Amino acid sequence: MPDRYQTMLLFGAPGAGKGTQGKILGQIPGFFHLSCGDVFRSIDINSELGRTFREYSSRGELVPDEVTVKMWAQNIRAQTILSIYKPHDDLLILDGIPRSVAQAELMDEYINVLEVIHLVCSDKEKMIERLQRRALKENRADDAKEEVIRRRWEVYERETHPVLDYYPKSIIREVDAIGSPAKVLEHVLMAVVPVQETHFHNTLA
Ligand code: AMP
């Protein structure tokens, strides 16, 4: 197992399309996508951690940092042991973590961040509409209520946005998040493919 996982972060406000882009990239050989929110949602809601997740996410707030990073580290380790994620072959695409500077610090032990794709959305109301549409489709309680979505935005601006200053400017790529998933993907790939090719050599994957 390498010392630290070679990683790219998908970064952006709620509704910016991190999950959509991450899922597409995760289908391509040489990339492994992991969404922190999906990991939380997969936990048994009757377990202690499941209840903690529900308590915070239903208010649009972040689960405490230490609990989150511990859960994330256990999950990625399990995926590695099961060879679902192969650190020597795959660039790790993280979406939804780190979501605070404290998480970024804790995660330095596990990940080497090669690039941060910042999905920039200038139109907040458009993002809120996107989230409401998704909530209906995916039955997500946290995004069904407008007040919870607005709270998620406040939390993003206060706690998550500062994470951008934690990493060197030279590794941050800004991509316009407004547009069709295919258009956004075109720009995400332009940023990501060179990084993946530089660090991995799985041409026959
Ligand atoms: P997401 O699917 O990424 O929008 O996450 C849904 C909810 O899960 C968030 O509103 C938080 O309550 C929780 N969550 C996901 N990722 C994190 C994280 N890195 N730190 C703390 N809470 C998180």
Side-chain angles (χ1 to χ4, degrees):
M1 204 182 284
D3 283 351
R4 295 193 300 165
Y5 307 125
Q6 305 292 6
T7 303
M8 196 203 80
L9 305 181
L10 276 171
F11 192 88
K18 303 183 293 292
T20 303
Q21 295 300 318
K23 279 191 195 102
I24 302 171
L25 289 176
Q27 298 294 311
I28 307 173
F31 294 90
F32 181 79
H33 167 238
L34 188 64
S35 147
C36 191
D38 285 350
V39 175
F40 272 132
R41 279 183 288 277
S42 72
I43 293 169
D44 176 2
I45 53 167
N46 296 312
S47 65
E48 198 186 329
L49 184 56
R51 279 195 298 272
T52 304
F53 166 63
R54 263 251 299 258
E55 182 196 327
Y56 286 93
S57 64
S58 64
R59 295 199 299 253
E61 286 171 12
L62 296 182
V63 178
D65 296 326
E66 302 241 338
V67 180
T68 299
V69 173
K70 191 170 160 210
M71 183 236 22
W72 174 86
Q74 281 172 352
N75 186 283
I76 195 78
R77 193 172 147 70
Q79 308 237 34
T80 309
I81 290 168
L82 295 170
S83 287
I84 299 169
Y85 163 49
K86 300 186 188 72
H88 289 291
D89 297 339
D90 301 330
L91 176 62
L92 180 61
I93 311 282
L94 288 184
D95 122 36
I97 192 164
R99 241 166 156 121
S100 67
V101 171
Q103 288 182 17
E105 284 168 357
L106 289 168
M107 289 182 72
D108 274 345
E109 184 186 335
Y110 307 102
I111 59 174
N112 177 34
V113 179
L114 300 168
E115 188 169 63
V116 180
I117 304 284
H118 178 197
L119 295 170
V120 183
C121 40
S122 40
D123 189 342
K124 182 169 170 179
E125 296 309 312
K126 208 173 196 142
M127 293 299 124
I128 289 176
E129 254 174 53
R130 244 193 210 180
L131 287 171
Q132 283 176 313
R133 253 184 289 133
R134 182 181 70 182
L136 285 176
K137 257 197 351 218
E138 296 180 6
N139 198 15
R140 277 186 57 160
D142 56 347
D143 288 336
K145 291 194 203 126
E146 190 171 331
E147 69 186 79
V148 177
I149 298 182
R150 292 198 184 271
R151 179 91 189 110
R152 265 156 64 72
W153 262 77
E154 278 167 33
V155 169
Y156 170 76
E157 279 163 354
R158 193 184 63 233
E159 295 185 43
T160 308
H161 195 268
V163 170
L164 281 176
D165 293 326
Y166 181 77
Y167 295 106
K169 282 212 170 19
S170 57
I171 65 164
I172 296 175
R173 304 274 172 276
E174 293 205 334
V175 170
D176 185 358
I178 311 275
S180 66
K183 190 81 210 159
V184 177
L185 179 66
E186 193 183 350
H187 294 126
V188 168
L189 285 174
M190 283 196 299
V192 165
V193 172
V195 174
Q196 201 272 348
E197 289 195 338
T198 305
H199 289 84
F200 299 90
H201 307 283
N202 39 2
T203 48
L204 293 173

